């Protein structure tokens, strides 16, 4: 049975996750470094980890199962979860991370970090603002992923 593990500290799509989870009766674990409000619902639980570096990431990786769906914007966490054998990793923008795409995503992340650090020129700035189309795409991809993993 699928479960959804959420890297929650900066996740903008928690409400969408809950809607899909309730629709398909899928448990959700919201993982964060500090207490975050979650709905009082039997499918939703909260795991507050220490504020240590990568504590939430480490907890998520330790609890990955073949049918786990991980929601994170953290490319390095996505890489770790895929290597640990999770069912799927989805960014809040709806972009799925796969074994075929993660190497390229890690490389681009490193290049962008160098650019932002000023290694080359003025740097490109940060990611584009999160928008309605991102939220809609995420909802669609999460829905499709849950259905696929429930088969």
């Amino acid at each position: 049975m699928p479960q959804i593990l959420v890297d929650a500290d900066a996740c903008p799509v928690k409400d969408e996750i809950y809607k899909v989870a309730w629709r398909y009766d899928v448990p959700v674990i919201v993982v964060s470094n500090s207490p975050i409000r979650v709905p009082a619902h039997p499918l939703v639980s909260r795991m507050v980890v220490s504020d240590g570096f990568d504590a939430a990431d480490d907890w998520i990786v330790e609890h990955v199962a073949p049918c786990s769906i991980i929601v994170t914007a953290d490319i390095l966490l996505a890489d770790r979860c895929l290597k640990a054998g999770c069912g799927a990793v989805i960014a809040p923008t709806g972009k799925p991370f796969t074994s075929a795409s993660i190497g390229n995503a890690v490389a681009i992340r490193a290049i962008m970090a160098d650019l932002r650090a000023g290694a080359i020129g003025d740097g490109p700035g940060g990611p584009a603002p999160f928008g309605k189309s991102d939220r809609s795409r995420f909802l669609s991809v999460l829905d499709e992923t849950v259905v696929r993993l429930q088969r």
Side-chain angles (χ1 to χ4, degrees):
M1 180 166 126
Q3 68 173 349
I4 302 171
L5 301 175
V6 184
D7 183 12
D9 284 319
C11 181
V13 289
K14 289 188 279 296
D15 288 339
E16 288 76 8
I17 293 167
Y18 305 142
K19 287 177 189 176
V20 171
W22 295 333
R23 182 179 312 136
Y24 294 106
D25 201 34
V26 174
V28 175
I29 302 173
V30 177
V31 184
S32 63
N33 296 107
S34 59
I36 291 178
R37 288 186 70 192
V38 298
H41 192 280
L43 287 173
V44 180
S45 60
R46 175 179 53 204
M47 173 56 60
V48 179
V49 297
S50 75
D51 61 355
F53 184 72
D54 280 347
D57 296 4
D58 293 342
W59 191 95
I60 290 170
V61 172
E62 290 168 11
H63 292 84
V64 162
C67 56
S68 297
I69 301 167
I70 313 303
V71 178
T72 185
D74 183 333
I75 294 169
L76 297 180
L77 174 58
D79 184 38
R80 291 175 64 192
C81 291
L82 289 168
K83 288 176 180 170
C86 72
V89 182
I90 306 169
T93 60
K95 176 183 177 183
F97 293 107
T98 65
S99 297
S101 69
I102 196 66
N104 190 43
V106 170
I108 290 172
R109 178 192 176 280
I111 291 168
M112 296 304 284
D114 286 346
L115 290 173
R116 280 192 292 277
I120 303 171
D122 292 333
F130 188 80
K132 288 182 181 179
S133 62
D134 296 317
R135 192 175 303 280
S136 176
R137 184 173 40 256
F138 173 81
L139 191 55
S140 176
V141 170
L142 180 61
D143 194 275
E144 292 167 8
T145 302
V146 168
V147 169
R148 177 176 52 86
L149 290 176
Q150 282 186 327
R151 290 183 186 163

